[in-house]
Amino acid sequence: MSDHKTMTLTLIVWRQKNASDPGKFETYTAKNITEHHSFLEMLDCVNEDLIHAGKEPIVFDHDCREGICGMCSQVINGAPHGGQDRTTVCQLHMRKFKDGDTIYIEPWRARAFPIIKDLIVDRAALDTIIQAGGYTSCHTGGVPDGNAILIPKPIAEEATDAAECIGCGACVAGCPNGAAMLFTGAKVSQLALLPQGRAEAVARVKNMTNAMIECGFGNCSNHYECMAACPKGVNVKFIARMNREFIKAQFA
Amino acid sequence: MILDGKCPTGPIEKSWDKHRFDLKLVNPANKRKYNIIMVGTGLAGGAAAASLGELGYNVKAFCYQDSPRRAHSIAAQGGINAAKNYPSDGDSILRLMYDTIKGGDFRAREADVWRLSQVSNNIIDQCVAQGVPFARDYAGYLDNRSFGGAQVSRTFYSRGLTGQQLLLGAYSALSRQIKAGSVKMYTRREMLDLVVVDGVARGITVRNLVTGEIESHAADAVCLASGGYVNVFYLSTNAKGCSVTANWSAAKKGAFFANPCYTQIHPTCIPQAGEYQSKLTLMSESLRNDGRIWVPKKKEDCGKHPGEVAEADRDYYLERKYPSFGNLAPRDISSRSAKEACDDGRGVGPGGRGVYLDFEESIKRLSEDTIRERYGNLFEMYEKITDENGYKRPMRIYPAPHYAMGGLWVDYNLMSNIPGLFVLGEANFSVHGANRLGASALMQGLSDGYFVIPYTIGGYLVTVKPGSVKNDHPEFKKSVEDVKTRTNKFLNINGKKTVTEFHRELGKVMWNNVGMARSKESLTEALKVIPQIREDFWKNVKVGGSGTDLNQQLENAGRVADFLEFGELLTRDALHREESCGGHFRTEHQLPDGEAKRNDADFSYVGAWEFKGNDKEPELHKEPLKFETIHLAVRSYK
Ligand SMILES: Cc1cc2nc3c(=O)[nH]c(=O)nc-3n(C[C@H](O)[C@H](O)[C@H](O)COP(=O)(O)OP(=O)(O)OC[C@H]3O[C@@H](n4cnc5c(N)ncnc54)[C@H](O)[C@@H]3O)c2cc1C
Ligand code: SF4
Ligand code: FES
């Protein structure tokens, strides 16, 4: 444990007052950072300094700080979530950086995610996609016993792989077209794989796809940048499954 | 005042069914005339809003995050209990009730716990129907695992992601109602005040966290499902935004706060690495199945590489003190033992605040692959944070604040002492007594949300005329003015210390004096120091920016200001409760072997506090607890 070794870093951070402000990069210095600081704790330190100096701290979304709520959302040196395998921004640690490094920090950039302030964007469009059909229409109560629906382990596991999506939107931010195919494909696939979801599969894939287009998300041209950006390792095979479901739906 | 929980009488087995039958129903055509406010859309609030919307009520739901899918329920790893008895290992509703009452050290209400156990089975069915991918076996049946405090296998799970999957299930049901127009969702809103008109809850005042606008919302009933308050300790396993603010705003309007001193400190968390640390991360308790906990016997060995400490020089203190439960001793006991070892100067890692969780022996016995299969994601998580390989070197763990058993007082209908104000999930005090067993908070949140409030709220609504108070009532105007005044006050102090500095300072006092072991001395000191910090806060805090903009400093200032008041109440409750029970351990009250010594003769009651302002003593109201089905006994895990 080398707590005595500290780093000094140069941060080049996107600052934008509100949606209509053009925004610009500002440069800050992060001092006394140890390798044990998480990336967000490093930003906390910079913010404490800014507050003491009477300046406006950098605002960014975060909540759980353990990689599960999907709130944190920053592009670091060009990579959503910083580009470390299966890691969200809040799980990133400063030991991945060196003393003297310069770090670029930007918000998610996508047509469907307007910037609210600094690094915070509006991701309500992802909720809109789920509202269009990302559910089974069961009522509270009046459902069969849990074991009345048998789901063999491999299918349950594959549905869980898709269900691991945390709704962060990194796939959209990473996609050159700003598409939400991985996010939507994951939900469509989870429910299409499970018997409980089959009854509404046709309407679901149509409605969610339409919502995706209406919200201003782009098209998929098979770059697979989404999968590279995804902190939960959601697989592009779920996009293929959604496409199959979509084609099937045209004939249903 | 003696409080009445309004529990049904008669045989416990029939209590909930009978109560449901006795409740008056709201005519289906009238339901849409009623407006209901839901503050919080985690498991409890999300499930409730979706179910109430589906029944036909008009629901307005609020959360502080940008989407209801991000509530901190998402972070639960382990699982959810139910009395399905699928493995046929002797489980039943009564056994789940028994385990919960005993686990809570006999400080919960029997009727509520019976109901929870009864509806636990419906929850699993509901979640399956929503498409929650629970773990299954190869034949397709639901799989179970075992959890602490139970001798049966009744925990349903989805990898280490149970909370996420359950919340996404509730979120999907909620999304369906939002689409249908029965629920209107207000995200990035923070409730800052409860509006009470002529003694009845009629609405809330919220701040729009994007624009800074202060908004009023009126309704025929207000439900709080705003989660727990252990961020009063600053560092905890909760999310950064978790606060007591919604609950505290209600307490300031007269809602009683029950058992605030019942807080759970979880034994297996990753230790703090430095002063700058912003939160603590839980490592699932399941690791204790195969990991052995130890510290060096000699202080001199604490700085050494663990591999260099000879076997004979290691103190496997849980195995030594609790030979029959060993490393699987309950949460409160394991946490206290770790603290004792570190207080004795034998802790490891930075600051000497850590103990080893060692897998060497199980790796030898079972192979590294087996351990990886069982806990791989936890080892990965540990390595991400600490940069240490848990297979090669024992993990370091330390206890951390995790869960609030206390909360606003509610009766059997989940209604607080303020008519029209209901409280759900972790925010209320109801079923866990003085200690919560693993996998039972998720169960409670969903029970309250899907299966209790949809019935009990109707019994209240039939007694009120819909829409009788609107948000142009003077009380709403006053509430908006109060919130604005407080906002301006924060912005105008312009002192020298940041909000976080104050929060850390409070957290240190709470942790050191009101944490795992409490004494009259430590509590009395805290009662002296907390008001001093509060006073300093109101003179010396520095909150920049403006009130009419997205301003995270301002949001945090409000939360910390509330913790600075609430922390004092929590401490006072701990001081008044002259006994040890569950998570509340008073060093003066222990058995000769160091175990918690309950005092049933004097303290077998719910302590519900009425806040009367910072300059006055709060008033204690008691609800006596009766044990008719499960008999009072000493809790032993030796
Ligand atoms: C790391 C971790 C692991 C856990 N693991 C388990 C487990 O394995 N099994 C188990 O049973 N339990 C577990 N628990 C406990 C369990 O997860 C929680 O007790 C439960 O999920 C709480 O649900 P809730 O709906 O009451 O609150 P939350 O999910 O916390 O939701 C609170 C809601 O209130 C909103 N809110 C709060 N304040 C305001 C305000 N002022 N204005 C507007 N909105 C507000 C939030 O936005 C959110 O929507 C765990 C807890 C933690 C922290
Ligand atoms: S698919 Fe991955 S990147 Fe996209 S929202 Fe889900 S978790 Fe985030
Ligand atoms: S803050 Fe929750 S995932 Fe990063």
Side-chain angles (χ1 to χ4, degrees):
Chain A
M1 256 133 287
S2 41
D3 274 333
H4 50 282
K5 267 197 304 192
T6 64
M7 296 181 246
T8 303
L9 305 135
T10 303
L11 308 183
I12 301 182
V13 185
W14 185 257
R15 302 299 306 259
Q16 182 171 338
K17 284 190 166 44
N18 50 46
S20 51
D21 179 48
K24 59 174 188 303
F25 283 105
E26 296 268 4
T27 305
Y28 303 95
T29 309
K31 281 180 256 159
N32 299 321
I33 303 301
T34 74
E35 58 176 27
H36 299 299
H37 278 73
S38 72
F39 195 82
L40 297 187
E41 284 163 355
M42 181 275 292
L43 284 180
D44 289 343
C45 292
V46 171
N47 275 344
E48 289 286 290
D49 289 347
L50 288 174
I51 297 169
H52 277 298
K55 301 203 179 110
E56 272 225 38
I58 304 155
V59 300
F60 55 89
D61 265 332
H62 66 101
D63 203 27
C64 74
R65 295 203 174 191
E66 54 182 272
I68 193 72
C69 75
M71 194 93 179
C72 60
S73 43
Q74 297 174 22
V75 176
I76 299 164
N77 291 336
H81 288 302
Q84 197 188 319
D85 192 34
R86 289 181 66 92
T87 305
T88 54
V89 181
C90 61
Q91 291 176 303
L92 202 60
H93 275 70
M94 293 313 292
R95 64 182 72 95
K96 302 289 169 195
F97 297 87
K98 295 189 310 292
D99 187 32
D101 275 358
T102 296
I103 308 174
Y104 283 81
I105 309 175
E106 293 172 80
W108 281 177
R109 293 191 193 274
R111 190 150 67 99
F113 293 161
I115 292 179
I116 295 176
K117 186 174 177 180
D118 294 348
L119 304 174
I120 297 185
V121 301
D122 182 350
R123 285 172 288 189
L126 296 181
D127 289 322
T128 306
I129 294 175
I130 299 295
Q131 285 156 18
Y135 42 75
T136 73
S137 299
C138 63
H139 304 280
T140 302
V143 296
D145 184 88
N147 263 345
I149 309 165
L150 296 184
I151 305 166
K153 189 181 171 85
I155 299 204
E157 291 298 321
E158 196 181 353
T160 315
D161 289 342
E164 278 206 26
C165 165
I166 58 173
C168 61
C171 47
V172 180
C175 173
N177 308 328
M181 292 292 276
L182 193 61
F183 169 82
T184 313
K187 187 47 81 180
V188 166
S189 299
Q190 177 202 341
L191 294 174
L193 279 159
L194 298 170
Q196 306 92 299
R198 282 310 319 170
E200 296 167 285
V202 169
R204 178 178 306 116
V205 71
K206 284 186 182 168
N207 293 340
M208 289 179 74
T209 312
N210 284 341
M212 204 169 69
I213 296 163
E214 277 163 26
C215 286
F217 291 103
N219 291 320
C220 176
S221 43
N222 299 320
H223 287 273
Y224 298 160
E225 292 291 343
C226 50
M227 186 158 85
C230 177
K232 294 292 142 180
V234 174
N235 196 293
V236 286
K237 73 178 177 189
F238 295 123
I239 298 183
R241 178 178 283 277
M242 173 165 71
N243 286 335
R244 282 204 304 280
E245 291 287 329
F246 189 79
I247 292 164
K248 269 200 289 188
Q250 305 312 307
F251 299 103
Chain B
M1 193 203 295
I2 298 292
L3 286 167
D4 179 6
K6 303 206 184 74
C7 296
T9 49
I12 197 99
E13 296 79 11
K14 295 270 179 312
S15 54
W16 174 232
D17 298 342
K18 178 172 174 298
H19 187 76
R20 265 193 305 179
F21 180 75
D22 291 343
L23 282 167
K24 293 214 172 57
L25 298 176
V26 179
N27 175 324
N30 281 342
K31 285 199 177 113
R32 71 188 134 78
K33 296 184 189 150
Y34 286 101
N35 285 305
I36 299 172
I37 282 174
M38 187 65 58
V39 179
T41 44
L43 280 185
S51 306
L52 292 168
E54 185 176 48
L55 283 173
Y57 296 110
N58 273 313
V59 182
K60 285 182 173 185
F62 298 81
C63 72
Y64 70 76
Q65 295 93 343
D66 69 337
S67 163
R69 67 179 294 149
R70 308 203 199 283
H72 200 50
S73 293
I74 201 96
Q77 303 167 350
I80 177 167
N81 286 332
K84 284 280 193 188
N85 193 29
Y86 284 152
S88 292
D89 54 359
D91 204 2
S92 65
I93 294 170
L94 190 61
R95 189 173 297 284
L96 175 53
M97 173 190 176
Y98 172 81
D99 289 344
T100 308
I101 294 271
K102 178 186 171 199
D105 219 351
F106 298 89
R107 289 293 174 263
R109 235 190 242 143
E110 281 194 335
D112 295 49
V113 180
W114 168 269
R115 175 175 65 193
L116 172 74
S117 309
Q118 181 180 342
V119 306
S120 67
N121 293 337
N122 304 78
I123 294 172
I124 302 304
D125 302 341
Q126 189 64 36
C127 297
V128 168
Q130 288 167 346
V132 169
F134 283 119
R136 301 268 174 167
D137 63 19
Y138 282 96
Y141 291 97
L142 286 157
D143 197 15
N144 287 121
R145 55 164 69 142
S146 310
F147 246 71
Q151 286 160 318
V152 293
S153 194
R154 63 158 75 100
T155 305
F156 295 77
Y157 66 100
S158 180
R159 296 190 182 152
L161 307 165
T162 316
Q164 183 200 19
Q165 296 310 320
L166 296 176
L167 182 64
L168 293 182
Y171 163 74
S172 71
L174 180 64
S175 297
R176 178 168 157 254
Q177 295 306 317
I178 294 171
K179 179 76 176 174
S182 62
V183 178
K184 181 144 175 45
M185 188 68 219
Y186 295 82
T187 59
R188 296 203 196 260
R189 298 295 200 291
E190 185 164 28
M191 173 191 173
L192 296 176
D193 198 17
L194 175 74
V195 181
V196 178
V197 179
D198 299 327
V200 178
R202 294 295 190 177
I204 60 172
T205 303
V206 302
R207 181 165 182 273
N208 179 324
L209 300 180
V210 175
T211 64
E213 199 180 326
I214 309 296
E215 310 165 353
S216 317
H217 297 270
D220 301 295
V222 176
C223 303
L224 302 186
S226 48
Y229 54 74
V230 289
N231 271 350
V232 69
F233 292 99
Y234 184 59
L235 289 179
S236 84
T237 64
N238 280 9
K240 291 298 286 175
C242 294
S243 76
V244 76
T245 291
N247 265 3
W248 193 242
S249 70
K252 286 174 124 176
K253 289 295 172 75
F256 298 165
F257 215 112
N259 303 334
C261 79
Y262 292 162
T263 48
Q264 180 165 78
I265 313 293
H266 198 294
T268 49
C269 302
I270 301 177
Q272 182 176 359
E275 266 296 299
Y276 52 80
Q277 187 134 348
S278 58
K279 79 152 279 161
L280 295 168
T281 303
L282 178 78
M283 299 292 288
S284 174
E285 171 171 78
S286 59
L287 286 171
R288 289 198 280 150
N289 281 296
D290 287 307
R292 296 179 73 195
I293 294 178
W294 64 274
V295 290
K297 281 184 182 163
K298 293 184 263 175
K299 290 178 191 164
E300 312 85 85
D301 287 348
C302 292
K304 285 190 187 159
H305 186 286
E308 289 166 13
V309 182
E311 188 61 29
D313 291 331
R314 299 176 175 192
D315 178 13
Y316 295 90
Y317 58 86
L318 286 176
E319 297 170 30
R320 172 169 60 79
K321 294 194 323 200
Y322 305 97
S324 64
F325 268 72
N327 294 299
L328 275 174
R331 288 181 182 178
D332 46 348
I333 291 173
S334 312
S335 291
R336 269 199 307 278
S337 302
K339 178 181 188 298
E340 278 164 22
C342 297
D343 286 350
D344 193 30
R346 295 184 294 132
V348 296
R353 291 277 130 192
V355 301
Y356 287 126
L357 177 61
D358 195 336
F359 292 87
E360 190 184 348
E361 195 206 70
S362 25
I363 288 174
K364 269 194 204 131
R365 184 164 38 93
L366 303 162
S367 87
E368 186 170 318
D369 282 345
T370 309
I371 295 296
R372 181 170 286 114
E373 204 178 284
R374 287 186 189 168
Y375 312 108
N377 66 324
L378 296 167
F379 278 71
E380 195 182 300
M381 190 158 104
Y382 180 79
E383 186 163 1
K384 257 184 205 154
I385 295 178
T386 62
D387 203 24
E388 285 175 16
N389 180 338
Y391 301 103
K392 302 272 172 279
R393 182 191 174 116
M395 292 182 179
R396 285 174 299 109
I397 53 161
Y398 198 65
H402 177 59
Y403 182 85
M405 278 77 70
L408 290 182
W409 183 85
V410 288
D411 65 14
Y412 187 70
N413 292 319
L414 301 185
M415 189 162 87
S416 72
N417 59 302
I418 300 179
L421 177 69
F422 293 79
V423 194
L424 286 60
E426 191 172 339
N428 73 25
F429 87 104
S430 64
V431 293
H432 306 296
N435 175 56
R436 173 178 73 79
L437 290 182
S440 61
L442 301 178
M443 171 171 72
Q444 183 217 342
L446 291 180
S447 157
D448 287 359
Y450 288 130
F451 298 111
V452 179
I453 198 74
Y455 293 96
T456 60
I457 206 167
Y460 169 76
L461 290 173
V462 288
T463 68
V464 298
K465 191 167 150 281
S468 50
V469 175
K470 302 256 179 330
N471 69 354
D472 55 5
H473 189 280
E475 280 300 327
F476 280 92
K477 296 221 170 82
K478 183 176 174 299
S479 170
V480 168
E481 278 319 305
D482 289 349
V483 168
K484 285 187 177 160
T485 308
R486 188 160 118 135
T487 303
N488 289 333
K489 216 168 148 186
F490 288 132
L491 293 168
N492 289 331
I493 298 170
N494 204 9
K496 294 216 156 38
K497 274 157 77 177
T498 65
V499 175
T500 307
E501 285 166 342
F502 280 105
H503 198 173
R504 273 204 193 102
E505 204 175 328
L506 171 69
K508 271 196 190 129
V509 177
M510 296 304 296
W511 181 236
N512 291 334
N513 294 33
V514 200
M516 280 183 276
R518 304 157 171 180
S519 68
K520 186 170 181 191
E521 202 191 343
S522 74
L523 296 168
T524 313
E525 191 195 68
L527 284 179
K528 209 172 73 206
V529 181
I530 297 165
Q532 288 166 359
I533 304 176
R534 189 168 62 228
E535 206 175 300
D536 188 28
F537 175 90
W538 283 105
K539 279 197 198 123
N540 209 9
V541 74
K542 188 175 180 79
V543 182
S546 110
T548 55
D549 188 8
L550 192 155
N551 186 341
Q552 294 177 326
Q553 290 178 76
L554 187 62
E555 295 165 25
N556 288 333
R559 295 168 191 158
V560 173
D562 292 337
F563 278 136
L564 282 165
E565 296 179 349
F566 169 71
E568 185 176 341
L569 186 78
L570 192 164
T571 309
R572 208 174 278 280
D573 185 40
L575 181 62
H576 116 280
R577 192 164 278 280
E578 291 282 354
E579 65 166 347
S580 295
C581 55
H584 169 64
F585 190 78
R586 285 284 301 267
T587 52
E588 302 92 331
H589 303 289
Q590 43 183 313
L591 297 165
D593 57 1
E595 298 307 318
K597 188 173 164 201
R598 250 180 22 230
N599 176 350
D600 292 330
D602 299 317
F603 287 96
S604 186
Y605 61 76
V606 177
W609 296 89
E610 182 177 357
F611 181 71
K612 306 217 158 170
N614 288 318
D615 45 355
K616 294 196 198 76
E617 295 246 328
E619 187 180 343
L620 177 64
H621 303 283
K622 296 177 183 176
E623 182 198 336
L625 291 168
K626 288 189 288 262
F627 294 93
E628 287 163 349
T629 306
I630 315 285
H631 296 292
L632 274 168
V634 175
R635 203 178 65 137
S636 168
Y637 291 96
K638 282 237 162 182

